Amino acid sequence: MIKISINKVVRTLIQTDLVFLSAFGLIAPIFAVFIIEQINGGNVKVVGFAAAIYWILKSILQIPIGRFLDKLKGERDDLYFLITGYLLTAIVPFGYIFSYSPWHIYGLQAIYAIGMAMAIPAWAAIFTRHIDKGKEAFEWSLESSGFSLGIGITGAIGGILVSKFGFSLVFILVGVFAIIGALLPLLI
């Protein structure tokens, strides 16, 4: 049997992403369907704009946030930004439950982008500082494979749950599991 030894910080960050990103995997494949079926005036343009708002805003914001975090001494600021960003993101699925207009979706996508723009540079900074020397490729592969498998599995589960119970239950589950994932870094 192969013994795998990973330091606590790296292990906790991998577990955090597994839980947090897998939670959002529940809605990843069905989000466009939600917009088209449940949002007044929802169509493929709204889906496209929702995606654009998230990706463009996150891309713009995470660079200055990363630079800001680099200027601060210590690691507590990174941890606070990670947890705050993930918690901010975790409230978004609850907002989807009450959404009925494209503008609601756009606003929630902006909140999602701000949260992830806070969390991603902070997560990466902590992971980079604590990655085990000589195990960089292995630990990054554990990170990527872990959350990828989680998203793949939860994507299928999300589709099944929506078809049986509707979108609201799935959004609640995403929010609850995302909050749990957001709080896991406190174990560091």
Side-chain angles (χ1 to χ4, degrees):
M1 180 176 204
I2 299 172
K3 183 179 179 192
I4 300 172
S5 171
I6 301 170
N7 77 64
K8 179 183 178 181
V9 174
V10 169
R11 184 177 57 249
T12 301
L13 288 174
I14 290 172
Q15 291 166 343
T16 295
D17 264 7
L18 173 64
V19 174
F20 185 85
L21 296 175
S22 293
F24 277 88
L26 285 166
I27 58 172
I30 52 94
F31 187 62
V33 176
F34 165 73
I35 290 174
I36 292 168
E37 289 185 0
Q38 304 290 315
I39 300 301
N40 296 332
N43 56 39
V44 293
K45 286 184 205 173
V46 174
V47 172
F49 278 108
I53 288 166
Y54 170 76
W55 287 107
I56 292 169
L57 188 57
K58 182 187 80 66
S59 298
I60 291 169
L61 292 177
Q62 71 185 6
I63 293 170
I65 289 171
R67 290 181 59 91
F68 173 75
L69 289 173
D70 282 343
K71 290 179 183 179
L72 301 174
K73 300 290 182 218
E75 200 165 64
R76 279 193 190 276
D77 56 307
D78 297 323
L79 186 61
Y80 293 145
F81 263 71
L82 171 60
I83 294 168
T84 302
Y86 273 174
L87 286 172
L88 186 60
T89 302
I91 67 169
V92 170
F94 297 112
Y96 293 147
I97 295 169
F98 304 103
S99 297
Y100 57 85
S101 167
W103 293 106
H104 299 148
I105 299 299
Y106 299 155
L108 289 166
Q109 290 299 99
I111 294 168
Y112 188 8
I114 293 165
M116 292 305 287
M118 291 173 67
I120 291 171
W123 187 100
I126 298 167
F127 194 85
T128 300
R129 278 189 222 99
H130 291 277
I131 198 163
D132 293 304
K133 193 78 171 151
K135 296 181 185 177
E136 296 89 355
F138 173 70
E139 289 178 359
W140 274 110
S141 68
L142 278 178
E143 158 66 4
S144 178
S145 294
F147 77 74
S148 296
L149 282 169
I151 291 170
I153 292 166
T154 57
I157 293 169
I160 293 166
L161 291 175
V162 165
S163 69
K164 288 186 182 256
F165 304 108
F167 290 101
S168 292
L169 173 69
V170 174
F171 292 144
I172 290 167
L173 290 173
V174 173
V176 168
F177 284 112
I179 289 169
I180 292 167
L183 297 175
L184 283 176
L186 292 172
L187 298 174
I188 294 174

